[in-house]
Amino acid sequence: DTAVSQTPKYLVTQMGNDKSIKCEQNLGHDTMYWYKQDSKKFLKIMFSYNNKELIINETVPNRFSPKSPDKAHLNLHINSLELGDSAVYFCASSHANIKNTDTQYFGPGTRLTVL
Amino acid sequence: QKEVEQNSGPLSVPEGAIASLNCTYSDRGSQSFFWYRQYSGKSPELIMSIYSNGDKEDGRFTAQLNKASQYVSLLIRDSQPSDSATYLCAVLSGGSYIPTFGRGTSLIVHP
């Protein structure tokens, strides 16, 4: 059974378009995250979200917005795509604030290429 | 700003040797420490977590934590070519549930 799933796996699009990446977890976790991994493999947090709060990395452009229809889903919407948005985007989930169960479980990643 | 530093490598070791991966962190309030392994084109997966000073062993892997020196390491004994991957160090500060990741160390185990 897939624990954290993302769709699509690959996304190729033109500059200026708007796109979404979907994420679902079936682990019963209370917190979900979006990370961006650039070409140098640096994994950078973009958002974390549970039913109480949304924490946004202040360096993330407001063209990026998370949407959570329910506890098991956290989708990422990107408006007006730019060349620099090309990267691999990982969704993750965890039990937040519970020591020894705070492991991050990652989805398979979505490779976004902006042309 | 919380920082987690790793040597990007690549670290190259022969098969059967001990691979030693190191990580330093800036926040003295850090309480949870993790090592993730990421194969090329795949997502990170947890190898070890450690919360107290000292060593923690799991099979061929040993995590070592020294909070006074703000240092955490991962030892891989009897390295295998299948261990070739990027190893990411992640640190959680007290009161936060968002980890800070290092840039990762690329490990190459050659036959």
Side-chain angles (χ1 to χ4, degrees), chain A residues 33 35 37 42 48 53 90 96 99-100 102-104 106-107, chain B residues 32 34 36 38 42-44 46 51 92 97-99 101 103:
Chain A
Y33 311 79
Y35 289 87
Q37 189 170 47
F42 186 36
S48 69
E53 63 179 345
F90 287 103
K99 197 174 179 181
N100 295 345
D102 45 9
T103 300
Q104 300 259 315
F106 287 85
Chain B
S32 304
F34 308 86
Y36 288 83
Q38 185 176 22
K42 300 295 184 182
S43 57
L46 183 73
Y51 304 93
L92 264 180
Y97 56 85
I98 302 173
F101 281 84
R103 289 181 175 269

Side-chain angles (χ1 to χ4, degrees), chain B residues 5-47:
Chain B
E5 300 286 343
Q6 294 181 255
N7 188 324
S8 61
L11 172 66
S12 182
V13 301
E15 184 174 356
I18 296 175
S20 177
L21 304 163
N22 305 315
C23 173
T24 59
Y25 58 94
S26 63
D27 184 3
R28 284 197 171 274
S30 298
Q31 295 187 355
S32 304
F33 306 85
F34 308 86
W35 283 99
Y36 288 83
R37 177 177 62 199
Q38 185 176 22
Y39 291 114
S40 180
K42 300 295 184 182
S43 57
E45 57 178 339
L46 183 73
I47 298 290

Side-chain angles (χ1 to χ4, degrees), chain B residues 67-94:
Chain B
K67 289 187 178 181
S69 300
Q70 296 175 240
Y71 176 95
V72 58
S73 64
L74 179 70
L75 301 179
I76 307 175
R77 291 182 299 282
D78 188 23
S79 295
Q80 302 296 309
S82 59
D83 294 327
S84 298
T86 296
Y87 289 80
L88 302 167
C89 173
V91 175
L92 264 180
S93 297

Side-chain angles (χ1 to χ4, degrees), chain A residues 2-17:
Chain A
T2 303
V4 182
S5 59
Q6 293 178 231
T7 55
K9 189 169 175 63
Y10 299 97
L11 183 54
V12 180
T13 188
Q14 299 287 331
M15 265 196 318
N17 284 349

